[in-house]
Amino acid sequence: MDGKTLKDAWVRWSGVWHVVFFSLCTLALGLVVLDPSSTNDPILPILLTGLLMAWYAVSLRLSTLPPLGWVAFFAVGWAIWYALAGYNPAFMLVLSGLFPHVFILTGLRLAVGLALMLNTLVLLQLQRINADLTATWMLIMSVAWAGGALLGYYITAIIRQSQERQTLIEQLKEAQTTIAAMERQAGIAHERRLAGELHDTIAQGLIGIVTHLEAADAAADDAAAQRYSDGAKRMARENLREVRHFIWELRPPALEGRKFEEASGPSWAHMHGVSAEVVITGSPQLLSPAHELALLRVTQEALANVGKHAHAHFVTITLSYVPNAVLLDINDDGQGLTLPLNVVGYGLINMRERIETLGGTLSIESSPHDGTTLVVELPLNGK
């Protein structure tokens, strides 16, 4: 806690002390001027009181001075007060505004030293009033100064403790705000992830089930209808399995107990009547669950799109392990994309977000009647 903060705590009460000072000056001057027993010309105390008030008003504009600058500044004002108190003891009342003035403008250590200097002037003034009581006044003023210094340190300690508590409260509020923002961001990311998971699993599965059931209704013979019906049942079971594991947020269920090439191609090829080949090149590496899930979901989404739109006869899925990366190529011999690549649905957006979250890239190459190739590159450093 710096001196400026402690000084500011005094300044918050400065308005009260300013009112006290000017009121006491006015009161003392009134007592002197209206004193019926006084025969002195009131012009001198009026001028000196005006000067003292002007000096005090100047202090309201001051912000910082070096210690010697403060000593010189207070010496000017106190000299004016000393002359007034010498003219009439009624101006001793102004001391109740002069002592707080020191603590308002300066730090505690300097204020205690300046208060001692002001006490010395008070003792000199009291000696002029009654020299016989000098020793008594010295004792009284010394005790008063010591008590005032201790009170000043005590008040400062309370201010420091209050400021530290305020700082702690502000830090706690900032921490709470930061945590709340992080929780909001985490919630948004979690919601996006859930949306992607739902699209890649439940939505695609339901679309496949509906497609197979419609094909079964339109089948030309019972054997074909049964094949489509069996495919719909198989997809429904797989979807149920996905949902259960999705709820528990386990590893991708389609990979559990099986290799990537077993999970990604055969069942889809069987259900859609499209030949599919899975090729693994390079030295297979152990992938993190996040990498496995991303590759699987991208493959599922790409194959779903092939099944719905490409009218392909053959699909090749190539998973290549290269130093520090894994590559996924999905190529079909279908009709290609008929829409520009910038006109995309949620599926492609979700695929790209999955890959980019892991620091990878996703690109698509396609032309009408010439098939489509989807290429994914995932870095494996720090997986």
Side-chain angles (χ1 to χ4, degrees):
M1 193 66 55
D2 57 18
K4 183 179 182 299
T5 304
L6 296 174
K7 176 183 170 183
D8 289 344
W10 284 98
V11 169
R12 283 196 292 268
W13 285 87
S14 60
V16 175
W17 295 115
H18 298 336
V19 172
V20 169
F21 177 82
F22 287 110
S23 298
L24 291 175
C25 286
T26 303
L27 176 61
L29 181 61
L31 292 175
V32 172
V33 172
L34 299 177
D35 184 5
S37 61
S38 177
T39 58
N40 297 325
D41 190 348
I43 296 299
L44 181 61
I46 292 175
L47 291 176
L48 290 177
T49 302
L51 284 176
L52 184 61
M53 289 183 173
W55 167 82
Y56 192 95
V58 170
S59 71
L60 303 181
R61 299 290 183 180
L62 296 178
S63 55
T64 57
L65 287 177
L68 290 179
W70 283 121
V71 171
F73 174 77
F74 281 110
V76 172
W78 293 346
I80 298 172
W81 168 81
Y82 190 83
L84 283 169
Y87 182 87
N88 193 301
F91 285 97
M92 296 290 284
L93 292 171
V94 181
L95 288 173
S96 297
L98 289 178
F99 278 106
H101 189 217
V102 173
F103 288 90
I104 292 172
L105 293 180
T106 65
L108 179 63
R109 293 182 180 178
L110 180 59
V112 171
L114 290 170
L116 180 61
M117 294 172 59
L118 183 56
N119 264 338
T120 302
L121 291 177
V122 174
L123 283 172
L124 292 175
Q125 195 62 253
L126 291 175
Q127 184 182 22
R128 291 179 65 252
I129 296 173
N130 191 339
D132 295 334
L133 296 176
T134 299
T136 303
W137 282 121
M138 288 183 63
L139 177 61
I140 294 174
M141 296 304 298
S142 297
V143 172
W145 173 81
L150 289 176
L151 181 61
Y153 278 109
Y154 176 71
I155 293 174
T156 301
I158 293 176
I159 294 172
R160 181 181 290 110
Q161 188 179 59
S162 299
Q163 291 289 349
E164 289 173 351
R165 289 177 178 173
Q166 182 63 32
T167 300
L168 180 59
I169 291 172
E170 292 174 355
Q171 291 174 346
L172 288 174
K173 289 181 178 179
E174 291 178 1
Q176 290 173 346
T177 302
T178 302
I179 291 172
M182 292 174 63
E183 288 178 346
R184 284 195 297 271
Q185 292 299 322
I188 292 172
H190 185 61
E191 289 174 357
R192 289 179 177 175
R193 184 182 69 81
L194 290 180
E197 293 287 351
L198 289 172
H199 177 274
D200 292 344
T201 56
I202 311 304
Q204 291 295 345
L206 292 175
I207 291 172
I209 292 170
V210 171
T211 301
H212 277 68
L213 291 176
E214 290 176 345
D217 291 339
D221 54 68
D222 291 342
Q226 185 63 43
R227 180 165 60 87
Y228 285 118
S229 177
D230 291 343
K233 292 177 182 178
R234 188 183 307 109
M235 294 184 71
R237 293 190 188 97
E238 289 186 358
N239 249 33
L240 178 61
R241 187 163 166 264
E242 288 274 3
V243 170
R244 287 171 176 169
H245 284 84
F246 179 67
I247 291 173
W248 290 98
E249 295 190 351
L250 297 176
R251 298 182 66 208
L255 279 180
E256 289 184 349
R258 295 184 291 173
K259 297 180 180 179
F260 176 83
E261 57 268 29
E262 297 172 345
S264 56
S267 61
W268 175 88
H270 177 76
M271 286 186 291
H272 289 82
V274 179
S275 298
E277 180 185 14
V278 180
V279 179
I280 307 294
T281 65
S283 301
Q285 302 181 42
L286 180 63
L287 302 179
S288 70
H291 284 69
E292 278 188 351
L293 180 60
L295 292 172
L296 176 64
R297 296 302 187 222
V298 168
T299 302
Q300 290 174 331
E301 175 67 20
L303 292 178
N305 289 335
V306 171
K308 287 186 292 183
H309 308 297
H311 303 292
H313 299 91
F314 189 79
V315 178
T316 302
I317 304 169
T318 304
L319 188 66
S320 304
Y321 293 94
V322 298
N324 301 321
V326 60
L327 306 177
L328 173 66
D329 294 83
I330 302 174
N331 175 262
D332 69 74
D333 62 352
Q335 65 180 5
L337 295 178
T338 57
L339 293 175
L341 290 179
N342 61 347
V343 181
V344 297
Y346 181 79
L348 181 56
I349 295 174
N350 185 50
M351 284 193 291
R352 181 164 281 122
E353 285 182 349
R354 278 185 181 277
I355 299 305
E356 291 179 349
T357 298
L358 296 174
T361 59
L362 182 148
S363 60
I364 296 177
E365 300 175 1
S366 181
S367 58
H369 312 294
D370 197 24
T372 301
T373 300
L374 181 145
V375 181
V376 170
E377 180 178 355
L378 273 180
L380 297 181
N381 291 334
K383 63 180 182 290

